Amino acid sequence: MALFFSKTNKLLEMIEEYLEKVTECMEQARKTLFLYIEKGSCEEFDGLVTKTHMAESCSDDLRREIEISLYEKALIPESRGDILGLLETVDKIPNKAESVAFQIQIEAIRIPDEFKSELRKIININFGIFEDIKRAIRAVFKNIKEVRRITNEIDKKESSSDSMERDLIRKLFGSDIDIGEKILLKELIIEIGSISDRAEDTADRLNIMAVKRLI
């Protein structure tokens, strides 16, 4: 029994390390986008895109290490499928954050001043939502009854993000900028918004895990 708890605790330590690395990736990506809004394409921006990519790669390495550990070492076979599924769902969040940074770098999208404030708000709500995902994952292992409350907060933020996206896209198409710029900006807004969509998918999976553990 002591061996069981020892290996389970080791797994939780690895998951915690993974969550912190994903947090680093999300914050790096948010910083990257904010710099672009302020200064546009520049050497400093390219450097931050590279740092975002490195943080995402490190989180991938940790995820694979956990997956191998689940199969080879950890003694919780009844939870293995749930944790593997959770990791795959979470992984889509930093992946999208990284791809948004690449998208801006490749397309060099011009962001008119009149849209910058609303775009920053959409970035903040989407990139910040991982803090709630992290709290909900910790709750699954340490305070199962808190999971539902936290995932409800995630649902509300996802709905707020959807509303903010629609408002900004409406404002965008009511403006006088070039139609090509409108389309590129619309795609960028939707891509940023898809981060909270992925967070909502993770929240759904966490709710299922919580229900199974409470039965």
Side-chain angles (χ1 to χ4, degrees):
M1 184 63 75
L3 181 63
F4 175 89
F5 285 115
S6 172
K7 291 188 174 181
T8 301
N9 287 337
K10 175 62 179 175
L11 173 67
L12 294 179
E13 288 175 10
M14 293 171 72
I15 290 174
E16 187 64 33
E17 187 179 0
Y18 170 69
L19 294 177
E20 290 306 318
K21 185 54 70 175
V22 173
T23 300
E24 180 184 328
C25 175
M26 299 300 291
E27 289 306 310
Q28 194 68 57
R30 173 158 47 182
K31 186 177 174 183
T32 303
L33 268 57
F34 274 12
L35 179 73
Y36 185 85
I37 291 172
E38 181 184 348
K39 296 184 177 180
S41 292
C42 59
E43 190 174 336
E44 186 180 1
F45 167 74
D46 289 338
L48 289 179
V49 172
T50 300
K51 287 182 179 178
T52 299
H53 171 62
M54 291 171 66
E56 198 281 331
S57 294
C58 286
S59 69
D60 273 345
D61 292 343
L62 286 169
R63 176 180 52 79
R64 293 188 192 98
E65 190 178 336
I66 294 169
E67 289 171 350
I68 291 170
S69 181
L70 279 167
Y71 279 111
E72 293 184 349
K73 299 175 183 176
L75 301 180
I76 50 172
E78 74 279 5
S79 301
R80 185 180 296 157
D82 283 339
I83 295 175
L84 286 170
L86 175 63
L87 290 173
E88 289 175 4
T89 309
V90 170
D91 185 54
K92 294 177 181 177
I93 299 173
N95 282 352
K96 180 55 67 177
E98 179 192 35
S99 75
V100 169
F102 280 142
Q103 181 180 354
I104 290 180
Q105 185 182 42
I106 292 168
E107 298 180 358
I109 303 168
R110 187 180 76 86
I111 302 176
D113 290 342
E114 62 195 286
F115 307 124
K116 289 182 176 178
S117 177
E118 287 95 334
L119 190 58
R120 286 192 186 96
K121 290 176 184 175
I122 291 174
I123 290 169
N124 268 333
I125 196 168
N126 278 278
F127 285 74
I129 204 168
F130 189 73
E131 285 299 317
D132 301 299
I133 290 292
K134 192 163 62 175
R135 286 194 297 130
I137 291 173
R138 286 172 177 160
V140 163
F141 295 106
K142 297 177 180 176
N143 189 2
I144 198 77
K145 293 182 179 177
E146 278 291 291
V147 174
R148 187 65 190 168
R149 184 183 64 77
I150 300 170
T151 56
N152 282 340
E153 292 178 19
I154 294 169
D155 285 344
K156 289 178 182 175
K157 288 184 179 179
E158 192 276 336
S159 296
S160 293
S161 174
D162 283 349
S163 177
M164 292 162 69
E165 287 171 51
R166 286 193 297 272
D167 289 345
L168 183 52
I169 290 172
R170 190 179 298 113
K171 182 177 178 181
L172 182 65
F173 279 85
S175 72
D176 296 327
I177 67 171
D178 178 80
I179 185 64
E181 289 185 322
K182 288 178 181 176
I183 292 170
L184 288 177
L185 277 167
K186 176 190 173 184
E187 289 176 352
L188 176 64
I189 293 163
I190 291 172
E191 286 298 295
I192 294 170
S194 69
I195 291 173
S196 57
D197 294 336
R198 293 177 179 211
E200 188 178 41
D201 292 342
T202 304
D204 290 342
R205 183 173 283 274
L206 286 164
N207 277 327
I208 292 170
M209 288 177 69
V211 169
K212 288 167 72 174
R213 287 177 176 229
L214 284 170
I215 292 175

